[in-house]
Amino acid sequence: MFRRKRTANDFSAEIEEHIRLERERWREQGMSEEEARTAARRTFGNVMHAEERFYESGRWMWLEHILQDIRYGLRMMTKSPGFTAVAVLTLALGIGANTAIFSLIDAVMLKMLPVQKPQELMLLAVRAPRGWQEPDATFSNPVWEEIRKEQDVFSGMFSWSEFQLDLAPGGESHNVNGVYVSGDFFGVLGVRSAAGRLLGPSDDVRGCSGAAVLSYDFWQRHYGGAESAVGEMIRLDQHLFPIVGVAARGFFGVDVGKQFDVAVPICAEGVIPVFGEPDGAKFLNRPSAQWLRVMARPKAGVSKEAIGARLRILSPGIFAATTAQEWTGDERKEFLAGTLQVLPGGGGISDLRRDYSEALELLMAVVGLVLLIACANIASLMLARAAGRRKEIAVRLAVGASRSRVIRQLLTECVLLSVLGALLGVVLARWGCALLVRFLSTADQRVFLEFALDGRVLGFTTGIAIVTGLFFGVFPALRSTRVSPTAAMKGAEAAEGTGKSHQRAGRWIVISQVALSLLILITAGLFLRSFRNLLTLDVGFDRNHVLLIETSVPHPDLPPGQRAMLYKRILERLSALPGTISASESLVTPISGEMWGMDFHLVNGGGPAGEEADAYMNFVSPGYFSTFHSSILDGRNFDEHDVANAQPVVIINETMARKFFPGSRAIGQYLVTRDFMNDHRERMAPPREVIGILKDTKYRTLREDSQQIAYLPIAQAEVLSDPAIFEIRTAGDPALLARAAGEAIAGLNKNISLNFRTLESQVDDSLQRERLLAILSGFFGGLALVLAMIGLYGVLAYRVTQRRKELGIRLALGAQRSAILRLILRDVTILLLFGIAGGVGISLWTTQLTRKLLFALNPRDFTTILFSALMLTSVALIAGYLPARRAIRTDPMIALRDE
């Protein structure tokens, strides 16, 4: 292997010496010099054959043949730079799209957490007997503490909860991602520190003053990676915490799609009541406040089945010890019936995984179809190119090359094209991944995902490159080597039969392209129309020109009893701002994803029961409905007389009025609910008079059906929640009023934290998944359309070239050019009809998979199918007209002379 040249020379010298000795032997027997030389060579045999056998011995000939094929393939690619550029770019788009979507799927759904032995982690959840679709994986702090105390099957456990923290001392907020963690959080995960130390069990003790651990990226951004940051104080929601350490580089937390910036112990909830509670310590003791998630590592040798069995035994005692006194009998019964279970936790938890898994799987199928279309496109080009290489292939076969050897050479060229396309595709995929993260991120929440070119992504890209090259290369290679050497070298006429077989193959490829392109176009059309339906939906309010201001008052600055007066003064100042049309205050804003609900009943009993009695709720000021341009259909609005000591009142929406008061007028009727502002919720609140009926509006999401909603006057709230939200309807751009609003509020209390956003952006952010599907499917639909057009044009241009003699004869005999044009376009129409029929048939079945992702649209929508077919037909006719137009302009004599 490493001394080939000298060994080959030695072997040649040995042959020459052998022949010389043999020649001398014949000379001694009386032959002449010439006769002896001839006899010696005849006795020895074929010298070249011996040298070839010696050359092949001791060598990896398969590797050498592959290298030969690669070198020859590269030379052939440089001889056809136009074809190579088109093929590589087409494959780059197809493979790059597949790599980008797979990278996103890998980051969101497949990767394990960057911790020690992530496969061991287990997520705790509660399996309730009500037939919930998914187990509940959130716990209250008392339940978490009871589980930690009673369990004996885990070597370590931790709990956590994510939230937003404000770094600003007041005014407009500077929010970062915070996470409450139990003392064993970092220890159980096996995370090391990059500086200082990490939180431990001694940091998470009731009544603690709090401590903070920074993420590595936050440390780099805000402190430049300085070691001196450890020991400094950091302001979190206007409370100072000492920085005790920095987590290791690469650890982002256990919530996939998010990256924590600052971690504080759970006991710090008593210092930073971020959940709107004036008394954080009281919140920690509330069994009904479910806000923590729990993970654990099993003890060595303890199986998952054994853990499940042990938790089933422990569950009754744990839930009995943590039952809330304020619950009703049904609520207590349901809580006690829950059973602890474990779920796989190595991949962490993720809202992205929950919300986007179906969308990502569908997009993966779409980009797979795009790659199939690209393969069909390249296959058609390879067929046309192979027709021009018939003589070359015939010569190879004639001089002794086997058909398998020629096929291998052709497949090597195809794989080279695919590999080059994959290399360019990886570059496009990196750019595409960054773009996808931008699509997934919102104004309030930046998505964090790591797109490292790890073994899984690299293996996927390599595999898809090789499979793609073989896929589009096998058929052209088999067809092009099925040729008679004698007939191919005689010319085009002798090879006419082969040309016809190539044309038939090209037709089937074009039909497949049309069918797959139509399927993608129909899918894209469905998502685009679904997105349009959501954008144009009547939500019951006007989303334009409304500024939302979320305020948070530091609890030490203002006792809860004085909040109502402060909020009233804030509302007065906001209403007086230049450019303000109206202003209001509320507990919840529409389409925020937040909700608050309660069950209502008629005073004398009856009416809806169970889940039918549940209704969404909101506390609002009198100007709320005018600010949102919501219509009161009957009755009156809240006014200054609806205060704490007045008759309790309520405004309900149309849906709630129909369910509670069917066939009668709801105005003047009374509803009762539990006293949601009192710790003992068994006590019923005083009856509330229904004073108005509001037109149905959306509450949490745009996709929800009309829900029961009850609006209560904010002046009749016993305890005001923090944060409070103010809304301002402006005459112009609401974002321009943010600065003036901030100054007005700071004039009352400069420590109030402020968060600004527009209602329009809040509604738009709720459509991130639909927007992603619409944009990406539209892009891939357009790409499929372009690829189909290129493929159709290539096949028709090749076919017209092959028929030049026939068309020349027709024109020479007097055929009209319009008749020739119709003849060619007739072939296009036939291909289109077969392709569209196949595409429609496939789409009627496959588009059913999109039903859950569509809004107010049937997956078999006739309008979408018809419009997609017309669009594809238009593009295909243009692709067919171009070569046909060139053909009818050809001089008949030139066409005949070429033949």
Side-chain angles (χ1 to χ4, degrees):
M1 288 296 293
F2 302 102
R3 301 172 63 185
R4 296 181 182 179
K5 185 174 182 180
R6 190 177 69 176
T7 304
N9 292 337
D10 292 345
F11 185 71
S12 298
E14 184 178 348
I15 291 175
E16 288 298 325
E17 179 65 17
H18 185 84
I19 294 175
R20 185 185 65 80
L21 293 173
E22 187 70 13
R23 186 179 69 248
E24 291 178 356
R25 187 174 67 82
W26 287 111
R27 283 286 306 276
E28 291 175 355
Q29 296 180 11
M31 287 187 179
S32 65
E33 180 69 24
E34 186 65 27
E35 290 175 338
R37 183 181 297 109
T38 303
R41 288 189 175 276
R42 184 170 55 246
T43 302
F44 182 83
N46 192 327
V47 174
M48 183 176 293
H49 182 61
E51 289 179 342
E52 287 179 351
R53 287 169 53 194
F54 175 78
Y55 180 83
E56 293 177 357
S57 65
R59 292 171 180 267
W60 293 346
M61 293 307 298
W62 60 270
L63 178 60
E64 193 158 318
H65 290 164
I66 289 176
L67 294 176
Q68 290 175 356
D69 291 343
I70 291 175
R71 288 194 295 268
Y72 184 78
L74 292 174
R75 288 199 301 269
M76 294 300 296
M77 290 166 60
T78 57
K79 287 182 179 180
S80 305
F83 167 80
T84 301
V86 171
V88 170
L89 182 58
T90 300
L91 292 169
L93 291 172
I95 296 176
N98 277 267
T99 301
I101 300 300
F102 179 80
S103 297
L104 187 59
I105 291 176
D106 178 54
V108 174
M109 303 171 62
L110 303 180
K111 274 186 178 178
M112 289 290 188
L113 293 173
V115 299
Q116 291 183 8
K117 299 180 180 179
Q119 68 278 2
E120 294 182 354
L121 292 175
M122 294 181 175
L123 177 69
L124 268 67
V126 177
R127 182 175 59 246
R130 290 175 49 181
W132 292 353
Q133 293 183 353
E134 296 182 358
D136 185 9
T138 57
F139 299 89
S140 65
N141 189 60
V143 172
W144 147 244
E145 291 180 344
E146 191 69 17
I147 294 174
R148 182 175 54 182
K149 182 179 70 174
E150 297 295 330
Q151 71 86 21
D152 53 6
V153 290
F154 298 116
S155 61
M157 301 183 70
F158 65 87
S159 63
W160 82 98
S161 180
E162 59 186 42
F163 61 102
Q164 291 284 310
L165 284 171
D166 185 10
L167 299 181
E172 187 169 359
S173 61
H174 178 193
N175 289 329
V176 295
N177 294 328
V179 58
Y180 280 126
V181 299
S182 63
D184 291 324
F185 179 82
F186 295 102
V188 174
L189 290 174
V191 178
R192 299 182 180 275
S193 64
R197 67 173 181 87
L198 302 180
L199 296 175
S202 60
D203 295 300
D204 185 24
V205 180
R206 290 292 187 96
C208 69
S209 58
V213 168
L214 310 180
S215 72
Y216 186 89
D217 287 350
F218 183 83
W219 179 47
Q220 294 294 322
R221 290 197 311 268
H222 287 262
Y223 295 94
E227 296 281 350
S228 59
V230 177
E232 292 186 10
M233 305 297 286
I234 184 172
R235 185 184 299 273
L236 304 175
D237 281 5
Q238 302 189 25
H239 296 274
L240 294 177
F241 289 83
I243 300 173
V244 297
V246 179
R249 183 175 187 176
F251 177 69
F252 56 82
V254 291
D255 294 88
V256 177
K258 300 177 182 178
Q259 182 183 36
F260 89 95
D261 294 314
V262 183
V264 296
I266 289 177
C267 60
E269 165 64 17
V271 182
I272 314 175
V274 298
F275 292 95
E277 291 288 333
D279 188 347
K282 185 177 180 181
F283 181 79
L284 287 175
N285 293 325
R286 184 174 298 169
S288 59
Q290 296 180 318
W291 59 293
L292 294 173
R293 296 181 183 271
V294 178
M295 274 192 184
R297 285 187 187 273
K299 289 183 176 179
V302 181
S303 66
K304 182 179 178 181
E305 291 72 20
I307 292 174
R310 181 57 177 163
L311 291 179
R312 285 193 293 271
I313 295 174
L314 295 176
S315 294
I318 291 174
F319 292 127
T322 55
T323 304
Q325 297 298 320
E326 65 267 22
W327 285 343
T328 64
D330 290 340
E331 289 174 334
R332 188 178 294 109
K333 181 179 179 182
E334 180 180 321
F335 180 76
L336 293 174
T339 304
L340 291 172
Q341 64 177 132
V342 289
L343 305 173
I349 65 168
S350 175
D351 293 338
L352 287 178
R353 189 181 302 151
R354 179 195 64 203
D355 297 337
Y356 286 89
S357 59
E358 291 181 348
L360 290 177
E361 291 168 358
L362 183 65
L363 285 174
M364 194 72 233
V366 170
V367 295
L369 292 177
V370 170
L371 186 58
L372 281 178
I373 295 172
C375 289
N377 200 358
I378 303 301
S380 64
L381 294 176
M382 294 293 291
L383 278 174
R385 187 166 180 254
R389 298 177 63 183
R390 282 199 301 272
K391 288 187 178 181
E392 173 204 337
I393 295 173
V395 170
R396 285 174 170 270
L397 295 174
V399 297
S402 65
R403 188 184 178 208
S404 61
R405 182 68 179 83
V406 177
I407 290 175
R408 189 176 69 188
Q409 169 63 53
L410 296 175
L411 289 179
T412 301
E413 296 177 21
C414 295
V415 172
L416 278 176
L417 287 173
S418 184
V419 169
L420 290 177
L423 292 175
L424 180 58
V426 169
V427 177
L428 296 177
R430 300 294 295 179
W431 172 80
C433 288
L435 189 62
L436 287 173
V437 169
R438 289 182 59 187
F439 279 132
L440 294 173
S441 300
T442 64
D444 287 345
Q445 185 63 56
R446 184 180 67 88
V447 170
F448 170 82
L449 292 172
E450 288 186 327
F451 293 107
L453 195 63
D454 57 12
R456 189 183 293 111
V457 176
L458 187 61
F460 173 83
T461 306
T462 303
I464 202 172
I466 295 174
V467 171
T468 298
L470 296 176
F471 183 79
F472 72 74
V474 166
F475 185 70
L478 293 175
R479 300 291 297 183
S480 60
T481 55
R482 193 178 300 168
V483 59
S484 170
T486 304
M489 288 186 285
K490 284 182 179 179
E493 292 183 5
E496 185 179 356
T498 304
K500 289 182 178 179
S501 65
H502 284 187
Q503 291 173 13
R504 287 194 296 270
R507 291 193 193 103
W508 282 111
I509 290 175
V510 169
I511 290 172
S512 301
Q513 279 185 293
V514 171
L516 294 177
S517 299
L518 181 59
L519 174 60
I520 295 178
L521 282 177
I522 292 174
T523 303
L526 290 173
F527 286 128
L528 286 169
R529 294 194 64 198
S530 176
F531 184 55
R532 188 203 63 179
N533 290 345
L534 286 166
L535 289 178
T536 59
L537 179 68
D538 181 11
V539 295
F541 56 85
D542 182 4
R543 70 188 77 178
N544 300 309
H545 303 294
V546 177
L547 177 67
L548 305 179
I549 309 172
E550 183 179 292
T551 64
S552 180
V553 183
H555 291 280
D557 285 10
L558 192 69
Q562 300 180 19
R563 291 180 182 276
M565 182 58 66
L566 175 62
Y567 292 160
K568 181 179 179 181
R569 294 174 62 191
I570 290 176
L571 187 57
E572 291 173 351
R573 289 208 172 190
L574 295 178
S575 301
L577 289 176
T580 296
I581 296 176
S582 62
S584 60
E585 179 191 355
S586 66
L587 178 67
V588 180
T589 55
I591 321 301
S592 63
E594 302 294 333
M595 60 82 64
W596 178 39
M598 194 66 64
D599 56 314
F600 284 79
H601 304 278
L602 300 178
V603 174
N604 54 357
E611 293 185 1
E612 293 294 321
D614 292 340
Y616 287 140
M617 297 179 62
N618 198 1
F619 275 111
V620 301
S621 66
Y624 179 85
F625 302 117
S626 60
T627 300
F628 283 89
H629 286 179
S630 298
S631 303
I632 295 180
L633 304 178
D634 192 12
R636 68 173 179 87
N637 193 358
F638 298 129
D639 56 29
E640 65 277 5
H641 299 101
D642 299 314
V643 293
N645 297 325
Q647 166 64 45
V649 294
V650 61
I651 294 176
I652 61 177
N653 68 341
E654 295 176 88
T655 299
M656 190 169 180
R658 283 194 301 268
K659 287 188 177 180
F660 277 84
F661 308 103
S664 62
R665 188 167 183 255
I667 302 301
Q669 304 281 357
Y670 288 87
L671 293 171
V672 293
T673 186
R674 288 171 291 160
D675 189 356
F676 42 81
M677 287 303 180
N678 193 286
D679 286 341
H680 303 286
R681 296 194 175 186
E682 291 286 0
R683 181 175 70 85
M684 301 302 291
R688 291 185 174 272
E689 180 185 0
V690 178
I691 62 171
I693 307 298
L694 188 75
K695 180 182 177 182
D696 282 342
T697 64
K698 298 296 183 179
Y699 186 87
R700 291 188 68 190
T701 69
L702 294 180
R703 283 180 168 270
E704 67 187 5
D705 296 329
S706 295
Q707 302 290 327
Q708 300 181 142
I709 307 176
Y711 297 89
L712 284 65
I714 202 164
Q716 292 184 348
E718 293 184 19
V719 178
L720 292 176
S721 175
D722 187 41
I725 304 175
F726 296 90
E727 305 90 16
I728 305 176
R729 175 164 291 281
T730 67
D733 184 358
L736 299 178
L737 197 62
R739 181 174 180 179
E743 292 175 351
I745 296 174
L748 295 174
N749 188 329
K750 64 179 181 180
N751 292 329
I752 296 179
S753 176
L754 305 175
N755 224 343
F756 298 97
R757 71 177 311 179
T758 64
L759 179 61
E760 184 178 15
S761 67
Q762 180 165 288
V763 175
D764 287 345
D765 287 347
S766 71
L767 299 176
Q768 286 298 99
R769 185 183 68 176
E770 288 76 10
R771 183 178 291 105
L772 177 72
L773 283 172
I775 293 175
L776 291 185
S777 62
F779 170 76
F780 294 133
L783 179 60
L785 203 60
V786 171
L787 293 177
M789 182 177 179
I790 294 174
L792 187 60
Y793 173 82
V795 170
L796 292 175
Y798 168 70
R799 189 177 181 194
V800 167
T801 302
Q802 293 297 102
R803 298 177 64 184
R804 275 190 308 173
K805 181 179 179 180
E806 172 201 341
L807 298 178
I809 293 174
R810 288 176 179 271
L811 291 170
L813 294 177
Q816 297 294 322
R817 296 185 184 274
S818 59
I820 300 296
L821 181 63
R822 287 195 301 271
L823 178 66
I824 298 174
L825 291 182
R826 183 189 65 184
D827 293 344
V828 178
T829 304
I830 292 173
L831 295 177
L832 272 176
L833 290 177
F834 278 102
I836 289 175
V840 170
I842 297 173
S843 67
L844 290 178
W845 174 67
T846 56
T847 52
Q848 293 298 313
L849 302 175
T850 66
R851 183 179 295 275
K852 292 182 179 180
L853 300 173
L854 299 178
F855 178 77
L857 193 65
N858 192 314
R860 296 178 176 176
D861 181 66
F862 175 77
T863 303
T864 303
I865 295 175
L866 178 62
F867 182 78
S868 301
L870 290 176
M871 180 184 295
L872 184 59
T873 301
S874 302
V875 171
L877 289 177
I878 294 173
Y881 174 75
L882 295 176
R885 183 169 174 266
R886 186 177 62 184
I888 63 177
R889 288 187 174 185
T890 303
D891 187 342
M893 297 308 297
I894 295 177
L896 296 175
R897 189 182 301 120
D898 288 342
E899 291 294 335

